[in-house]
């Protein structure tokens, strides 16, 4: 389970699963990628406690090495982040199984312990070379909705980010466009 996000090789390989003992949390602070030192962003991780429904990639027999290399390239952009790959227990249609995930109680990353309201403010303002925090959250919301998955935390955060952006429509809140993109 990669932050409860699928890595899709084909639709036949994606299955729903529930991460046992884990919940979603925008808790990794970013000063690059989707943030800057002036407008830091947040990255989604899994945090201990609760459960969350998501998707797992079922790797076809015979493609394990190639598939795993592709997944590791996507999720672990730097060698020093390799400690953030770990096995967790998930509930699938076959019962409880191990699943490889990334950034579950992350190590070697700058953590941000923020309230949901503080997370919303940061995501609404964050922007970097890879886009904005609000765009990242919206892609997460759409991806979950596409698979019929509802997460109260994510939906609440989306509502609060939208309110932050709406309140900042007058240009005074510090809402930013992604780096390198002019404001409309």
């Amino acid at each position: 389970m990669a932050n409860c996000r699928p890595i899709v090789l084909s639709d036949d390989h994606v299955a729903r699963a529930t991460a046992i003992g884990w919940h979603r949390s925008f808790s990794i602070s970013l000063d690059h990628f989707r943030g800057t030192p002036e407008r830091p962003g947040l990255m989604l991780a899994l945090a201990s406690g609760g459960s969350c429904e998501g998707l797992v990639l079922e790797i076809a027999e015979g493609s394990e090495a190639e598939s795993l290399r592709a997944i590791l390239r996507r999720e672990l952009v730097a060698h020093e982040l390799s400690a953030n790959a770990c096995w967790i227990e998930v509930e699938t249609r076959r019962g409880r199984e191990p699943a490889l995930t990334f950034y579950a109680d992350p190590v070697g990353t700058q953590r941000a312990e923020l309230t949901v309201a503080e997370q919303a403010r940061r995501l609404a303002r964050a922007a970097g070379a890879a886009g904005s925090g609000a765009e990242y959250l919206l892609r997460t919301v759409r991806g979950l909705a596409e698979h019929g998955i509802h997460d109260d935390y994510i939906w609440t955060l989306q509502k609060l980010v939208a309110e932050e952006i709406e309140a900042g429509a007058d240009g005074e809140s510090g809402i930013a466009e992604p780096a390198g993109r002019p404001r409309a």
Side-chain angles (χ1 to χ4, degrees):
M1 240 175 164
N3 294 334
C4 299
R5 301 179 288 150
I7 299 168
V8 181
L9 298 180
S10 80
D11 289 339
D12 295 339
H13 298 287
V14 175
R16 284 175 77 144
T18 301
I20 309 299
W22 300 96
H23 66 278
R24 292 179 182 84
S25 177
F26 274 91
S27 59
I28 299 175
S29 188
L30 296 175
D31 62 3
H32 62 288
F33 201 52
R34 289 187 195 92
T36 65
E38 298 78 28
R39 296 188 182 276
L42 292 170
M43 186 173 111
L44 192 57
L46 292 177
S48 295
S51 66
C52 72
E53 192 172 2
L55 302 172
V56 291
L57 173 65
E58 296 177 334
I59 297 174
E61 192 173 326
S63 71
E64 297 90 349
E66 179 184 339
S67 296
L68 210 49
R69 273 194 292 278
I71 292 165
L72 292 172
R73 271 194 305 273
R74 172 187 159 162
E75 295 297 326
L76 302 174
V77 295
H79 174 74
E80 48 279 353
L81 297 175
S82 63
N84 285 298
C86 66
W87 293 94
I88 64 170
E89 188 174 28
V90 298
E91 182 78 34
T92 69
R93 66 183 177 273
R94 290 183 300 270
R96 290 200 176 196
E97 301 181 271
L100 180 62
T101 191
F102 302 90
Y103 304 104
D105 283 341
V107 296
T109 62
Q110 185 179 352
R111 302 283 300 275
E113 299 296 330
L114 305 171
T115 66
V116 175
E118 291 167 334
Q119 291 171 35
R121 277 191 291 284
R122 188 179 283 193
L123 287 168
R125 290 162 178 75
S132 73
E135 290 169 331
Y136 175 38
L137 175 60
L138 180 59
R139 281 195 305 274
T140 301
V141 166
R142 287 180 175 164
L144 292 171
E146 182 180 304
H147 293 281
I149 297 170
H150 180 84
D151 183 309
D152 287 340
Y153 162 72
I154 295 292
W155 265 249
T156 298
L157 194 54
Q158 174 68 8
K159 178 182 178 289
L160 293 173
V161 168
E163 289 171 0
E164 286 285 331
I165 291 171
E166 183 65 30
D170 60 13
E172 294 180 19
S173 73
I175 307 295
E177 293 297 318
R181 295 184 192 174
R183 284 191 78 118

